[in-house]
Amino acid sequence: MSIRHGLLALLERGPRYGSQLRTEFESRTGSTWPLNVGQVYTTLARLERDGLVAPGGEDPAGHTLYAITDTGRAELHQWYERPVDRTNPPRDELSIKLAMAVGAPGVDIRAVIQSQRHATIQAMQDYTRLKAQALAAIESGKTHERDDIAWLLVLEQLIFQTEAEARWLDHCEARLVRLSRSAVGAAGEPAPPSGEPGPPPATTPASGPVAAATTEPSRTARLRRR
């Protein structure tokens, strides 16, 4: 998430001060990407340096307000129009962990995969429960605030992401099984019969409703701060 452009988007709605920007940013994203005030003010200082925001006076409580400039507004709309660059994907801890676990002495990589799969499915159940709550609030007419709709979109992205992660973990396990069989065959030992059952099927469907969430309290369920 571009904090720089996220703050510009909030400032386009009117002048804001640092703590207010942090609160609105977290509300819009359901606290999925929490910010601290120091991070906000550091970003504001850079935006001011680049001519994208300017001090806009003070509010009645004496807070320094920041306002978006015409240059900042142009930069924001270019960001909206520009596809997200995927040539330098962000580092993913899970990918790095599995890459390091391959061949590591004393590490059962299949156990690592199974442990992660359990956590991934739990997270997906939590996200799905939160999505159902958000949809119920919106469809009941109790709320149509942009923050609630934005939170729903963020939740759906998290659901799709965890579904993809679960499928990828199944793929990794199946790949390791096939490579293990190939290695056994190359060593001159008899390989398992071709009709031998393969690895267990995917633990989650590619689409469709997710199983009901467990009743254990989860840190994921506390993402949405009211």
Side-chain angles (χ1 to χ4, degrees), residues 187-206:
E189 300 176 20
S194 59
E196 178 182 323
T203 52
T204 58

Side-chain angles (χ1 to χ4, degrees), residues 8 14 32 41 61 76 95 110-111 142 157 164-165 180 194 206 208 211 216:
L8 286 176
T32 306
Y41 278 107
L76 174 63
S95 298
R110 293 188 69 179
K142 294 179 180 178
Q157 189 272 342
E165 183 172 285
S180 176
S194 59
E216 287 186 27

Side-chain angles (χ1 to χ4, degrees), residues 29-34 116 118-131 133 151 154-159 161-162 165 213-214 216-226:
T29 61
S31 299
T32 306
W33 299 287
Q116 182 62 49
H118 175 78
T120 299
I121 298 305
Q122 178 65 61
M124 184 160 49
Q125 291 172 343
D126 291 334
Y127 295 143
T128 302
R129 182 170 57 246
L130 291 172
K131 175 186 173 181
Q133 293 170 358
W151 168 234
V154 169
L155 276 172
E156 289 175 331
Q157 189 272 342
L158 291 170
I159 291 169
Q161 189 177 60
T162 49
E165 183 172 285
T214 61
E216 287 186 27
S218 166
R219 65 181 183 278
T220 312
R222 296 194 293 272
L223 281 171
R224 182 57 159 156
R225 295 178 184 170
R226 293 290 183 182

Side-chain angles (χ1 to χ4, degrees), residues 8-221:
L8 286 176
L10 294 173
L11 288 172
E12 191 177 35
R13 299 168 60 182
R16 302 282 195 279
Y17 57 89
S19 297
Q20 187 178 15
L21 286 167
R22 183 193 65 175
T23 300
E24 292 188 13
F25 183 95
E26 292 186 351
S27 177
R28 183 68 64 90
T29 61
S31 299
T32 306
W33 299 287
L35 299 178
N36 60 60
V37 173
Q39 192 175 13
V40 171
Y41 278 107
T42 298
T43 304
L44 285 171
R46 292 172 180 164
L47 291 171
E48 183 179 359
R49 177 200 64 193
D50 296 338
L52 304 180
V53 304
E58 295 183 349
D59 70 357
H63 298 112
T64 299
L65 299 173
Y66 291 84
I68 191 169
T69 64
D70 289 340
T71 303
R73 190 170 287 104
E75 166 67 22
L76 174 63
H77 286 275
Q78 288 175 12
W79 178 63
Y80 284 140
E81 296 167 2
R82 186 170 59 242
V84 174
D85 184 12
R86 298 298 186 191
T87 56
N88 294 302
R91 293 183 182 91
D92 179 76
E93 182 180 356
L94 178 56
S95 298
I96 295 172
K97 179 189 288 189
L98 292 189
M100 295 299 117
V102 172
V107 176
D108 182 350
I109 191 168
R110 293 188 69 179
V112 174
I113 291 172
Q114 290 169 8
S115 175
Q116 182 62 49
R117 184 189 290 114
H118 175 78
T120 299
I121 298 305
Q122 178 65 61
M124 184 160 49
Q125 291 172 343
D126 291 334
Y127 295 143
T128 302
R129 182 170 57 246
L130 291 172
K131 175 186 173 181
Q133 293 170 358
L135 274 174
I138 292 172
E139 292 175 353
S140 68
K142 294 179 180 178
T143 177
H144 286 91
E145 294 182 9
R146 68 180 77 191
D147 285 357
D148 293 304
I149 296 172
W151 168 234
L152 177 62
L153 295 179
V154 169
L155 276 172
E156 289 175 331
Q157 189 272 342
L158 291 170
I159 291 169
F160 286 129
Q161 189 177 60
T162 49
E163 285 179 342
E165 183 172 285
R167 292 196 301 271
W168 177 67
L169 289 167
D170 290 335
H171 165 79
C172 288
E173 188 169 38
R175 172 74 72 189
L176 289 169
V177 168
R178 288 195 296 271
L179 291 175
S180 176
R181 288 173 176 171
S182 298
V184 169
E189 300 176 20
S194 59
E196 178 182 323
T203 52
T204 58
S207 60
V210 181
T214 61
T215 57
E216 287 186 27
S218 166
R219 65 181 183 278
T220 312

